[in-house]
């Protein structure tokens, strides 16, 4: 178990599972990258299609790991809620999200949301 930076025996089971998910995510992402490169250069049309199919399945596997991490490590949930399906420059997404949160708090404290729901 050379991948561990701390004593495996000392790690709580939840941390061990998180490590398993993170290690799996790394492996899936590596596979996506490898397949993606092979798809780009494969000459045979059938091989290219099969490699693309396999690559896209690895994307599903990676997403499953991300979802598990979201459900089990709060920082993932918070970050994914900020960044996924956002628009505009990635470096500005978090600031815009926080501004939206602040605006929602203000309108909530003024009862605007409550008035809208009563219509
Ligand atoms: Fe996979």
């Amino acid at each position: 178990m050379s991948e561990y930076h701390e004593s495996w025996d000392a790690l709580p089971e939840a941390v061990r599972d998180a490590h398993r998910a993170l290690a799996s995510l790394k492996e899936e992402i590596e596979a996506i990258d490898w397949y993606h490169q092979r798809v780009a250069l494969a000459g045979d049309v059938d091989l290219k299609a099969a490699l693309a199919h396999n690559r896209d399945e690895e994307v599903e596997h990676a997403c499953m790991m991300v979802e598990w991490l979201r459900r089990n490590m709060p920082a993932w949930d918070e970050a994914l809620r900020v960044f996924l399906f956002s628009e505009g420059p990635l470096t500005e997404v978090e600031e815009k999200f926080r501004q939206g949160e602040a605006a929602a708090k203000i309108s909530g404290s003024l009862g605007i949301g409550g008035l809208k729901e009563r219509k």
Side-chain angles (χ1 to χ4, degrees), residues 24 27-29 31-32 35 54-55 57-62:
S24 292
E27 292 159 5
E28 301 297 351
I29 287 173
I32 292 163
Y35 277 123
N54 292 352
R55 175 203 56 206
E57 286 203 346
E58 302 298 356
V59 171
E60 288 183 21
H61 301 166

Side-chain angles (χ1 to χ4, degrees), residues 16-88:
R16 292 178 181 181
D17 274 347
H19 169 78
R20 292 175 178 116
L22 290 163
S24 292
L25 180 58
K26 282 197 297 190
E27 292 159 5
E28 301 297 351
I29 287 173
E30 189 172 62
I32 292 163
D33 185 28
W34 291 347
Y35 277 123
H36 198 51
Q37 292 177 42
R38 291 171 188 157
V39 168
L41 297 183
D44 181 86
V45 172
D46 283 340
L47 177 60
K48 196 180 208 55
L51 292 170
H53 171 87
N54 292 352
R55 175 203 56 206
D56 295 346
E57 286 203 346
E58 302 298 356
V59 171
E60 288 183 21
H61 301 166
C63 287
M64 290 169 71
M65 288 301 99
V66 168
E67 177 59 10
W68 188 91
L69 289 163
R70 187 192 67 77
R71 294 180 186 186
N72 291 279
M73 292 180 74
W76 281 87
D77 182 67
E78 187 175 327
L80 289 170
R81 288 178 190 277
V82 171
F83 287 99
L84 283 189
F85 309 107
S86 61
E87 295 180 3

